[in-house]
């Protein structure tokens, strides 16, 4: 029955869609575990829109962006390739003009976008969703939809632009200096920068010091994460601490525990994840100094820059240096955009949707306010102004049971046409030269080097060597299991995981490339990251001792 | 009671421009920003006017102009007028009450710094830019010498160039709003300028620091080739060019003199690495605060330990030429090629 389509118009249809493209890839970074219907609707519609918008605005010579489909809570994607040589040439001429503003005034453009979205968020937050009229509330919801759409336009325009610069820089490093993006010295050049996500991290570290100064260390150390807030409320100083902490959260806490989902509370609603990060910093003790750690990395970067620049012929330096600066900004953008764009917008979506949900519960349209995540915007609109006139529970029930089914069986990593294999499919991705496909999704293929006798082979995301206890993490809510010195093993990581990077000694991820989250953050924290090992989460078990040598791209399981 | 005409730097800021002149207002603004400027005080335009009235100089000048008005547009006459007016002003001593106040402020300054008969710089501080009105007296010691130099700075408002300028701009010839800055002489190890933009290329990613041994005059006047440090804002990496520096400006018994740089220092960098990075850090902070590239003057005091030894004496928006960035077009071209592979 068509009424139950989660993303009308973009549900995966094997017959038609495989005829359009022979390979569809699961976006495992964002849609495992499967999305709620509400979130899937937003992502499929607008991430798809943003990619095509960005590719078109920049006139990318070889791709029109990506096409997306929804299947059982998973996002499936394929490339929209530019077909004729003639069209490629025409687009290339346009591209050279379209990319110029980003080269000339990158910061001005990015800062302008940040200002624009923060202005939109501010307006959305101005409405008290609990006292507003039904019409105002629905209006707020519609504006949230528009904000999400706009957010993805900015997101993908910026991402395509910066990653293109990054790839060029990488190519030029290979050509002129003889290093590529799996080389440790390459990584040193693109790390050691401040960005918004680290600033938030730093605030949390500062709060750990404030807590110690206020004599609240024990409240953090002797209580379970979930109880910390309540225990803090019991004393005057704890109450004071929470007051300051809430002010900080109102500024910077509009983010999700899971980056690409809205069914978990934001930090503003539930400060437990943020408080547990404060706790982790307290556990590290007073001697730990985040600033010092970060300074070390930036000093290393400056040294490496000198070495690299010295190898570039002097007549090439005039453009090589600005290119290096642009490439360095892609690392900063990769981190920072999550804070200003994805996480913040998703927090706004949750806020508005839950406002609707509470209204619907009051009017009897649904039973629980969180059931709103099993509806899609068209159905929210159906009951938006007159929730008392509609009973939406039959939709919620059916969607919830489907959603629970999706959780049980993992979505296939790729859906391929008959006679088409994964290698061929990967080949198409690589040949597209799509900057996002290359730098986030596919990455370089690991080289298997039998002489190393390693258990897993991957590529270097961040240089270094580490040995420690493996901790396999599937979803964000398991992050608190991580202990100081552990080596994190995951399919991939996302920005809400960033704070644990200050505790762990290394990372192994199944998938990813040099601009994936794990690589960028690993470099900033100076810990080794091995990427693209494909079977890390399958072969490694929590508690095993492992050794990672990111420089060689090798992982060893020490107690098999 | 007469109007207040002496201000400590922490009492003023950029909104005091008309009252104390640009230089003093700037020193006040830097003090507000928390930058370390040499301790001292400003003499306002009111002080100048009070002096001109009470000493009778204003009347004499007025009548001089009145008598010679017809010939004033002749260059030769302007030179003569300048000489005559400066003679009139410099021949007047400070009225008694004003002298007491100035002496009191000077004593307070000496006391603050802990040095009796402290050597100070007496600098003109015009409220509007006026060429040739930049009279400065360095290494001024003692109360009576200070009084003399203050009147000399006031007199310097009447250089021939300044008179010609006022004529050209149709300004009142007899009036000259001029403030005076009186500040501690820094016992300079070295001094120079910092620009938070490369002035020749307009490259906003670079900070250019130039310096020489001794006082900053040798760098500002462009008489010698100073050491140059070009620092990248993002990475902090630095290109250093050490020039052989054979001359420097030092204190003389009175005022300043040009001296030979000792042989072993001529080819040494005049700034230590930590001094350089602190200068760059503060300059970029100031740039960020005003959101404009800055042109600033610094002095390193040889009597103080790092980082207290860095003094600032000037901060103003930098002048630079924007050049068309050809490499942008070239980069766009290179970027388009990666889609061909």
């Amino acid at each position: 029955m068509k009424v139950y389509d989660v993303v009308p118009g973009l549900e995966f249809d094997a017959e038609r869609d495989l005829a359009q493209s022979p390979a569809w890839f699961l976006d495992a970074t964002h849609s495992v575990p499967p999305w709620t219907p509400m979130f899937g609707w937003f992502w499929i519609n607008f991430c798809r829109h943003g990619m095509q918008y960005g590719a078109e605005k920049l006139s990318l010579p070889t791709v029109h962006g990506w096409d997306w489909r929804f299947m059982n809570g998973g996002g499936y994607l394929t490339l929209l390739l530019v077909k004729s040589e003639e069209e490629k040439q025409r687009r290339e001429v346009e591209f050279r003009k379209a990319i110029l503003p980003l080269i000339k005034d990158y910061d001005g453009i990015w800062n302008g976008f940040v200002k624009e979205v923060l202005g939109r968020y501010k307006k959305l937050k101005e409405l008290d969703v609990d006292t507003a009229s039904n019409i105002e509330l629905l209006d707020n919801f519609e504006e949230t939809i528009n904000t999400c759409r706009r957010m993805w336009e900015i997101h993908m325009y910026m991402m395509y632009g910066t990653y293109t610069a990054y790839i060029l820089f990488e190519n030029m490093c290979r050509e002129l200096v003889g290093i590529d993006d799996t080389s440790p010295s390459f990584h040193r050049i693109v790390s050691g920068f401040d960005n918004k996500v680290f600033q938030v991290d730093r605030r949390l570290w500062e709060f750990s010091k404030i807590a110690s100064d206020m004599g609240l260390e024990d409240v953090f150390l002797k209580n379970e994460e979930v109880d910390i807030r309540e225990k803090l409320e019991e004393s005057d100083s704890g109450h004071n601490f929470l007051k300051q902490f809430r002010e900080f959260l109102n500024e910077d806490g509009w983010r999700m525990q899971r980056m690409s989902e809205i069914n978990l509370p934001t930090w503003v609603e539930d400060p437990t994840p943020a408080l547990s990060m404060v706790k982790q910093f307290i556990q590290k003790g007073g001697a730990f100094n985040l600033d010092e750690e970060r300074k070390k990395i930036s000093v290393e970067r400056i040294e490496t820059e000198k070495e690299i620049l010295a190898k570039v012929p002097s007549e090439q330096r005039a453009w090589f240096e600005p290119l290096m600066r642009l490439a360095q900004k892609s690392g900063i953008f990769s981190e920072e955009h999550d804070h200003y764009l994805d996480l913040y917008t998703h927090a706004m979506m949750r806020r508005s949707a839950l406002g609707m949900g509470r209204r619907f519960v009051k009017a009897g349209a649904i039973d629980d306010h969180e059931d709103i995540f099993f509806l899609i915007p068209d159905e929210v609109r159906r009951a938006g102004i007159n929730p008392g006139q509609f009973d939406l529970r039959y939709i919620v029930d059916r969607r919830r049971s489907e959603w629970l089914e999706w959780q049980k069986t993992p979505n296939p990593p790729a859906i391929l046409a008959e006679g088409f294999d994964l290698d061929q499919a990967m080949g198409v991705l690589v040949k597209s030269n799509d900057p996002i496909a290359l730098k986030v999704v596919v990455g370089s293929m690991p080289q298997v080097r039998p002489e190393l006798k390693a258990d897993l082979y991957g590529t270097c995301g961040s240089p270094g060597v580490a040995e420690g206890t493996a901790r396999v993490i599937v979803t964000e809510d398991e992050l608190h299991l991580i202990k100081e010195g552990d080596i994190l093993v995951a399919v991939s990581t996302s920005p809400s995981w960033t704070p644990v990077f200050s505790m762990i000694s290394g990372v192994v991820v199944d998938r990813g490339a040099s601009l994936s989250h794990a690589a960028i953050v690993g470099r900033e924290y100076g810990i080794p990251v091995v990427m693209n090992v494909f079977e890390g989460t399958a072969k490694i078990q929590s508690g095993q001792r492992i050794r990672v040598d990111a420089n060689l791209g090798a992982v060893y399981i020490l107690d098999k | 009671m007469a109007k207040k005409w002496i201000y400590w730097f922490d009492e003023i800021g950029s909104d005091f421009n008309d009252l104390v002149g640009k230089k003093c207002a700037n020193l006040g603004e830097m003090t507000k920003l928390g930058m370390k400027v040499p301790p001292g005080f400003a003499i306002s335009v009111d002080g100048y006017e009070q002096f001109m009235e009470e000493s009778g100089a204003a009347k004499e000048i007025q009548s001089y102009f009145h008598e010679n008005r017809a010939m004033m547009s002749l260059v030769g006459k302007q030179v003569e007028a300048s000489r005559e007016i400066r003679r009139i002003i410099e021949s007047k001593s400070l009225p008694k009450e004003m002298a007491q106040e100035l002496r009191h402020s000077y004593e307070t300054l000496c006391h603050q710094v802990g040095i009796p008969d402290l050597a100070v710089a007496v600098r003109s501080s015009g409220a509007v830019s006026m060429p040739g009105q930049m009279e400065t007296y360095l290494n001024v010691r003692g109360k009576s010498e200070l009084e003399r130099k203050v009147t000399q700075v006031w007199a310097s408002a009447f250089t021939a160039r300044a008179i010609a300028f006022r004529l050209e701009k149709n300004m009142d010839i007899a009036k000259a709003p001029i403030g005076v800055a009186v500040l501690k002489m820094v016992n300079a190890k070295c001094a120079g300028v910092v620009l938070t933009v490369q002035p020749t290329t307009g490259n906003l990613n670079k900070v250019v620091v130039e310096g020489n041994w001794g006082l900053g005059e040798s760098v500002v006047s462009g008489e010698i080739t100073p050491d140059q440090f070009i620092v990248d804002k993002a990475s902090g990496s630095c290109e250093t060019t050490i020039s052989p520096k054979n001359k420097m400006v030092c204190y003389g018994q009175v005022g300043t003199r040009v001296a030979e740089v000792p042989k072993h220092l001529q080819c040494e960098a005049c700034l230590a690495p930590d001094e350089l990075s602190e200068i760059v850090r503060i300059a970029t902070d100031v740039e960020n605060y005003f959101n404009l590239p800055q042109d600033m003057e610094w002095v390193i005091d040889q009597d103080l330990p790092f980082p207290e030894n860095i003094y600032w004496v000037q901060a103003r928006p930098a002048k630079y030429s924007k050049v068309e960035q050809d490499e942008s077009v070239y980069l766009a071209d290179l970027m388009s090629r990666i889609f061909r592979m």
Side-chain angles (χ1 to χ4, degrees), chain A residues 60-62 92 95-96 99-100 103-104 164-165 167-168 171 301-302 305 318-319 321 323 325-326 433, chain B residues 205-206 232 234-238 324-325 327-341:
Chain A
L60 297 185
T62 50
E92 196 184 297
F95 170 82
R96 284 198 282 268
I99 194 75
L100 264 183
I103 297 176
K104 284 185 174 163
T164 303
I167 291 171
L168 176 65
N171 290 349
R301 183 194 76 233
I302 293 159
E305 275 180 2
W319 59 264
E321 213 184 323
L323 174 63
R325 299 288 166 236
L326 266 182
N433 282 319
Chain B
N205 299 321
K206 304 284 181 190
D232 186 80
S235 70
S237 65
C238 176
E324 193 42 50
Q325 301 147 305
E327 59 290 2
S328 302
V329 176
Y330 183 63
L331 272 182
D333 185 51
L334 286 178
M335 278 188 208
S336 74
R337 287 161 201 259
I338 67 174
F339 292 94
R340 291 186 201 160
M341 285 180 281

Side-chain angles (χ1 to χ4, degrees), chain A residues 185-318:
Chain A
S185 51
F186 183 88
H187 293 163
R188 273 182 216 116
I189 299 183
V190 290
S191 35
F193 292 97
D194 198 18
N195 68 50
K196 186 66 193 179
V197 178
F198 285 111
Q199 284 162 16
V200 172
D201 227 21
R202 196 174 180 287
R203 289 296 303 278
L204 291 169
W205 173 58
E206 281 169 358
F207 271 109
S208 76
K209 292 195 291 185
I210 293 173
S212 305
D213 291 346
M214 293 173 97
L216 297 166
E217 270 184 343
D218 277 358
V219 183
F220 280 89
L221 296 177
K222 294 197 173 148
N223 289 297
E224 287 298 312
E225 277 77 0
V226 285
D227 299 328
I228 292 174
R229 172 167 47 159
E230 209 174 295
K231 296 284 178 198
L232 281 171
E233 288 289 7
E234 286 171 7
S235 70
D236 281 351
S237 54
H239 184 79
N240 258 332
F241 176 89
L242 277 177
K243 193 168 160 258
Q244 285 182 48
F245 199 64
R246 279 204 197 91
E247 274 165 28
F248 151 69
L249 289 179
N250 265 325
E251 190 76 20
D252 289 324
W254 291 97
R255 64 192 218 176
M256 312 303 300
Q257 292 180 31
R258 178 176 164 197
M259 184 173 92
S260 50
E261 185 52 281
I262 51 175
N263 62 353
L264 291 172
T266 60
W267 285 11
V268 175
E269 291 169 72
D270 175 10
T272 302
L275 287 171
S276 68
M277 282 159 199
V278 173
K279 175 176 178 168
Q280 287 170 352
F281 280 122
I282 293 176
Q283 280 166 337
K284 284 176 139 358
F288 174 75
N289 188 324
L290 191 66
D291 286 341
E292 287 299 314
E293 303 278 314
R294 308 219 6 96
K295 206 172 147 195
K296 241 178 8 209
I297 297 166
S298 88
V299 166
E300 273 182 13
R301 183 194 76 233
I302 293 159
E303 287 303 308
T304 315
E305 275 180 2
K306 277 188 206 157
E307 284 166 34
I308 299 281
L309 284 175
K311 288 183 191 161
V312 176
S314 57
E315 66 275 15
Q316 314 271 31
R317 271 180 222 157

Side-chain angles (χ1 to χ4, degrees), chain B residues 64-268:
Chain B
Y64 178 84
F65 273 117
H66 193 74
E67 283 158 28
N68 298 279
R69 188 191 296 152
M71 292 174 292
M72 262 308 141
S73 56
L74 300 171
V75 175
K77 197 65 197 171
Q78 289 165 5
V79 175
E80 195 190 306
S82 162
R83 204 178 307 129
E84 180 56 21
I85 294 168
R86 293 179 78 157
R87 189 197 58 76
I88 296 172
I89 299 175
E90 287 175 19
S91 72
K92 305 282 183 256
S93 49
L94 220 50
K96 199 172 152 221
E97 252 177 64
M98 289 186 79
Q100 269 174 0
E101 270 188 77
L102 180 61
R103 279 161 186 252
H104 177 72
S105 298
Y106 178 66
E107 274 166 16
T108 310
L109 178 62
C110 294
H111 184 74
Q112 262 179 20
V113 179
I115 302 172
D117 278 346
L118 176 73
V120 291
V122 183
R123 295 176 180 271
S124 72
S125 174
V128 285
S129 292
M130 236 179 258
Q133 194 192 281
M134 291 299 290
E135 211 65 70
T136 285
Y137 299 96
L138 300 176
N139 203 19
V140 177
R141 287 173 202 267
K143 294 169 215 164
S144 46
E145 187 61 15
L146 172 62
E147 282 171 37
R148 258 234 323 276
K149 292 305 182 212
V150 169
T151 48
Q152 280 178 16
V153 168
W154 282 335
S156 77
F158 293 93
T159 58
R161 279 182 69 194
I163 293 173
F165 181 80
R166 264 171 260 165
L167 275 174
E168 200 181 297
K169 303 273 172 197
N170 254 334
M171 293 158 72
D172 186 344
I173 287 185
K175 280 208 165 170
I178 181 171
V180 183
V182 176
L183 59 166
K184 181 200 155 187
M185 279 302 288
V186 177
N187 188 11
K189 176 190 90 168
C190 59
V193 296
V194 52
L195 282 105
T196 61
V197 55
Q198 210 168 5
T200 47
T201 61
N203 186 345
L204 293 163
N205 299 321
K206 304 284 181 190
V207 177
V208 181
V209 180
E210 291 185 339
N212 186 21
W213 300 111
L215 297 167
E217 271 63 24
S218 65
V219 178
V220 179
S221 66
E223 278 160 25
I224 54 116
T225 309
D227 289 340
Q228 191 185 56
F229 311 85
I230 301 178
V231 180
D232 186 80
K233 281 179 196 169
S235 70
S237 65
C238 176
E239 275 173 54
T240 306
T241 314
I242 306 296
S243 303
K245 305 169 287 294
N246 44 15
K247 296 269 193 308
M248 63 181 180
V249 178
C250 311
Y251 300 147
Q253 204 64 330
V254 179
T256 58
R257 64 187 173 88
V258 175
E260 288 284 318
V261 175
K263 265 272 172 312
H264 70 282
L265 289 177
Q266 289 187 0
C267 292
E268 283 287 306

Side-chain angles (χ1 to χ4, degrees), chain A residues 387-400:
Chain A
Q389 300 287 316
F390 302 90
D391 184 350
L392 301 175
R393 284 175 295 192
Y394 75 108
I395 304 180
V396 169
D397 287 347
R398 176 151 172 179
R399 286 257 178 69
R400 186 195 292 108

